Amino acid sequence: MKISRRMRKGYALALAFLLTLPCLIRIQTEAATAIDTSVKCSLTVSVGSSDYEEDFNEMSIPVSLYKVADVDSAGRYTSVDSFSQVDLTGISSTTTAEEWQNLAEEAKQCLSGAEAVGKTVVEKPESGAGEAQGVFKDLAVGMYLVVPEASYNADYTVKYEFTPYLTALPSSEYAMTGAGSDDWDYNPVIGLKAGGDPQYGKLNITKVLSNYNETLGRTSFVFQIEGKDETGAVVYSEVVSTTHEGAGSETVTLDKIPAGLDVTVTEVYSGASYTIVGSDSDSAFIWSDPAVEAGAGEEASVTFTNRYDGGNRGGYGVTNHFMSDGKEGWDCDNPTTQPEE
């Protein structure tokens, strides 16, 4: 299972959320040619060119389309139905990206009472040729709200959130860029814009004691966990332990491990008077929690077995967690110590 290109750039940082409106920065409301309101339009939503293109080309992204306003031949908009409270009368060639964003947010608030005029899925063609895209057809001229659905990439390592945005049908090169031809385009193509959130998963480490010397008392075992990226750099490292008071098994679970990592677990301390049976190292692939919930993968688990070796050395360890007290000091949380009698 590969890790997406975006994930390789660093698991500790959330990916930046892009707020740029993709296709409607300025609109020519006084174009040289009047809008032909009888023409039926189409709208193609494509993956476009972005840092996420590799992931998008392997995904199926549902997109809904809502009609927000009618438009007349002069380019004047009248909000309709559930979006009647969205004021589009001030739209002009000087309308800023921030103002368009605010209008899109207003329209988004009206979705609870709105009915989509179309649905499509942005995905690769069945032939596998070309980029992923979805098409809305037979649309009346007007203003539309494009609402892509939050989706996971193919290996569930990233969840992509998409900002709903407004787009005009028809549009023009001038409307999209503020320069160039103002001829109306009744079949525009727009690109997806998104922000990605890295996903995390769990790892279960189980220690099995096949036998136990009660005279020596409690015994502990220590495990080193490391995850490396494709360059060999360590991007995740942790140490955990288990403490036992008898034969049987104990399991410790680690969460918030970056999904998509292959981690290596090594038993670095095997307890006083106990010997590991088999290998002291094992590896596991970290599936994200959403992947496990969807049945696309299983929660990562490794198991180590030890036996009493006949020695007479006892002893156990504790795991201490230190946290700042906010006053240039530290608080120690030691959950494994015994309460005072």
Side-chain angles (χ1 to χ4, degrees):
M1 181 66 68
K2 72 178 184 63
I3 303 174
S4 69
R5 179 180 64 182
R6 172 58 56 180
M7 287 296 291
R8 298 182 199 127
K9 295 181 179 179
Y11 296 90
L13 298 177
L15 305 180
F17 196 84
L18 304 182
L19 295 176
T20 304
L21 296 178
C23 68
L24 194 54
I25 304 305
R26 300 179 181 87
I27 188 165
Q28 175 76 330
T29 57
E30 297 179 1
T33 304
I35 293 174
D36 185 347
T37 58
S38 67
V39 173
K40 291 298 184 181
C41 306
S42 70
L43 176 65
T44 299
V45 181
S46 74
V47 297
S49 178
S50 74
D51 289 337
Y52 313 117
E53 184 176 354
E54 181 181 338
D55 272 355
F56 290 170
N57 273 320
E58 296 181 351
M59 296 168 60
S60 294
I61 306 168
V63 182
S64 298
L65 189 69
Y66 299 83
K67 188 175 184 183
V68 175
D70 291 325
V71 64
D72 64 18
S73 59
R76 293 183 292 262
Y77 291 93
T78 304
S79 301
V80 298
D81 301 329
S82 299
F83 302 96
S84 58
Q85 62 183 309
V86 181
D87 185 7
L88 301 174
T89 57
I91 292 175
S92 73
S93 59
T94 61
T95 302
T96 66
E98 182 179 0
E99 289 170 334
W100 277 115
Q101 180 184 324
N102 292 337
L103 286 171
E105 288 298 323
E106 285 184 37
K108 179 182 176 182
Q109 300 304 314
C110 303
L111 286 179
S112 60
E115 182 176 350
V117 297
K119 294 180 181 291
T120 189
V121 176
V122 176
E123 59 186 356
K124 274 278 205 180
E126 290 184 4
S127 65
E131 66 180 16
Q133 62 179 30
V135 182
F136 297 99
K137 298 179 179 179
D138 199 31
L139 301 171
V141 296
M143 184 73 70
Y144 289 84
L145 182 67
V146 182
V147 185
E149 185 177 313
S151 304
Y152 294 98
N153 64 344
D155 57 11
Y156 286 84
T157 56
V158 182
K159 181 180 182 180
Y160 288 101
E161 301 275 359
F162 301 89
T163 304
Y165 51 86
L166 291 169
T167 188
L169 294 179
S171 187
S172 71
E173 184 180 357
Y174 182 89
M176 291 186 288
T177 66
S181 173
D182 61 0
D183 291 339
W184 293 116
D185 181 0
Y186 293 86
N187 303 284
V189 178
I190 60 176
L192 289 171
K193 296 294 181 179
D197 293 321
Q199 299 299 294
Y200 299 89
K202 297 182 178 65
L203 169 66
N204 302 301
I205 303 173
T206 299
K207 165 55 64 180
V208 177
L209 287 187
S210 57
N211 55 358
Y212 179 77
N213 187 320
E214 294 185 0
T215 303
L216 297 178
R218 292 195 290 176
T219 187
S220 295
F221 303 85
V222 181
F223 306 91
Q224 170 75 45
I225 304 96
E226 284 194 347
K228 297 181 180 180
D229 64 17
E230 293 184 348
T231 69
V234 176
V235 295
Y236 178 85
S237 182
E238 185 61 277
V239 175
V240 297
S241 64
T242 60
T243 297
H244 303 252
E245 297 180 336
S249 65
E250 296 285 343
T251 299
V252 59
T253 300
L254 295 171
D255 59 9
K256 296 297 290 182
I257 302 176
L261 277 183
D262 280 303
V263 297
T264 299
V265 184
T266 304
E267 186 170 305
V268 294
Y269 176 70
S270 298
S273 300
Y274 290 85
T275 299
I276 192 167
V277 178
S279 176
D280 64 354
S281 182
D282 199 359
S283 61
F285 180 81
I286 304 299
W287 288 97
S288 67
D289 294 334
V292 174
E293 293 171 4
E298 297 181 352
E299 208 166 89
S301 298
V302 295
T303 300
F304 298 90
T305 300
N306 287 63
R307 61 175 175 80
Y308 173 58
D309 64 8
N312 59 5
R313 294 180 298 109
Y316 68 93
V318 295
T319 302
N320 297 319
H321 298 279
F322 293 91
M323 299 173 291
S324 172
D325 62 6
K327 301 177 181 179
E328 299 184 355
W330 296 87
D331 294 326
C332 178
D333 175 21
N334 185 344
T336 61
T337 54
Q338 299 185 86
E340 295 182 1
E341 298 182 356

